[in-house]
Each structure stands twice: as structure tokens, then as C-alpha cells.
Amino acid sequence: MSSATTPIEELAQRSEDDVRERLAAGKLVEGLQHMSPAYLKGIRRILTVSADTELVSAPAYLRAAQHAPALNNFGSAVSICQDELAHAHIGYRLLGDLGVDMNALIYEREAKAFKYPYAFDVPLDSWHELVMANALYDQAGFVLLSDVHATSTFGPWKRALAKVDKEETFHLRHGRTWVKKLCADPVEKRRVQAAADWMFVLTLEWFGLPDDRKRHGIQLEYGFKGLSNDELRQAWMAAVVPFLEEVGIDVPAHRDGDRWVIDCAFPRAFDEEAKRWGDPITWEEVMVRWKARGPMNEAYVERLQRGYRQRAAHA
Ligand SMILES: [Fe+2]
Ligand SMILES: [Fe+2]
């Protein structure tokens, strides 16, 4: 993260014991004066991932909105983009309060350094893919943010998420209403199925490495997240699979007792140009793909930074 070191960081000098004591007393962390250096580092990291994800969803959804079947549908899609920009703004503003140089972070960072999930690097090329993204990606965002809302120990973010949660519910409903409507027509349904075929597994990846590969330590202790990656993946499948089954869309997952089981190779190779899944691979190989970023990374970040660059050039 290109967070310039500023004197403000010197305010976050509590010991870990001080932070633990405050949390044990049922109090929230309200600002730098309550943070240890480790707390500051952790909260900056998770806020950056969250704000970057919100931010990049705006150009991704806006690009797909051009396929809206009618002007009022385009309006709904644009209002979702507007919500996402406001969500990103909440995260970046909080990072600004935590001593991060917001202009450097948003407008001067190189595209590859953004920390949003790889899924957004794959273009949404139709209205079908956009509404499937609302049904799948926004559900992933909702699962993650609900977890933060429930467990976060950072007061200002926790309170702000009450508004974000409500808007994400609207995005989800937009996705589901459209998926359902399109599935009533056999021709449209095939296109919805084709979208689900590449997007479902990509969203499974969104939640990151499986629990046996990743240690969370301080993330869980300080309430940066409550559920583990695998638990979040389960919560997401519990939300989306029954809905998709109801509308007749096949996805490679089924319920077995109180667990959801993935019915395909996972993780696996992804052909990002053809949007097609291939052979099983290792998580190390997945991380290579994530790190290299995908087809739209440069274009989306360029789009977000263009105005700032042009203004700076003419100043
Ligand atoms: Fe959002
Ligand atoms: Fe959203």
C-alpha cells in the first residue's frame, strides 16, 4: 500500500495490552489514540481492500451498464455505481483520518497495487453478466461487510456500514430480480447460465485461501473479521445457491447436511480471455494469476485516475 508515513502515525502508540484491555471492557477503538501500531497496520489493510473493491466495482458496472435493455434500467445500474463510489469514499476518508495520503492512494497508485478481488479484472460484457454480478459479487461484498459490521472493533467504520449494508441489499435485489426475470425466457436463461458458469467459481475464489492455508491471528482477535475464509465462503453459498436453484440455474455446489460442498475442481485454471474454467491447479498458481491481475485492471484504474491526471497536467 502506498501509504506515505506521516507524523499522524505517531499517535497510534498504544501497547497491544492497552488495546486488548479496551476491547475487553466492551469499548470500540475510535481513532489513532486508541490504536497500537499493529492495530493501525491491520485496520489500514482491511480498509484498503474494502475501499478498493467498492471503487473498482464502479467502472466495472458502468462499462456493463451500456448493455441495459432500456433507459430506466441504465438509470438503476448507474445509481448502483454511484452507491459504490460513496462506499469507496467512506473507506478512503477513514484511511485519510488514519494518516494515509488519500490522493496518493486513489489517484497515484499503480493499477497492479490495488487490492480488490481478481474477479473484477474480468470484464462484464452484457446485461446478463452485470445482473449476475449483482447477484453473486454484491452478495460476496454483503457477506464480507456484514461480518465486519458485526465484529469490527473500529467504531467509525462499524457505524458507517449500517448505511452500506442497506444499499448492498438494493444491489442484490436488483441482481436477483433481473436474474429471475431473464430466466423465465429460455433464450435469455441460456445467457444467464453462461454468466453463472464462469462467475460462480470466480466468486468462490473471492474469499481467499482455505483456512488450512492461512493464519488469521490478529485479524480475528481485533475483529477485523469475525468468520474465517471458509466460513465466509459457506455463508455466501448458503445465500446464493438456493436462489440459483430456484430459478433453474445450475452451479457446481450442493448442500450436504449443514455444509455446502463444491462439486468441481477447486481451485482451478481460468482462461480469462475465453472466460472458461480448466484443470485443477494449486493455490500457489492461483496466487500467481491474482498477482498478475486480469484483463481490465489497467483500464479500470486508468478510468478512475484520468480526471485527476488531466487536472494535475493542466495545473
Ligand atoms: Fe458497495
Ligand atoms: Fe454493491
Side-chain angles (χ1 to χ4, degrees), residues 84 138 168 171:
E84 304 298 15
D138 285 274
E168 290 304 341
H171 305 171

Side-chain angles (χ1 to χ4, degrees), residues 53-54 57 80 83-85 87-88 138 145 164 167-168 171:
T53 307
E54 302 282 10
S57 66
I80 291 175
D83 289 344
E84 304 298 15
L85 291 173
H87 300 169
D138 285 274
L145 289 180
V164 176
E167 287 168 355
E168 290 304 341
H171 305 171

Side-chain angles (χ1 to χ4, degrees), residues 5 29 31 40-41 45 51 57 115 131 155 157 160 172 199 236 239 245 276 279 304:
T5 305
V29 169
L40 176 60
K41 195 172 167 218
R45 194 188 148 71
S57 66
K115 296 195 184 303
V131 296
W157 195 21
L172 274 173
M199 296 172 77
W236 177 78
E245 280 173 354
R276 206 172 303 129
D279 294 331
L304 290 163

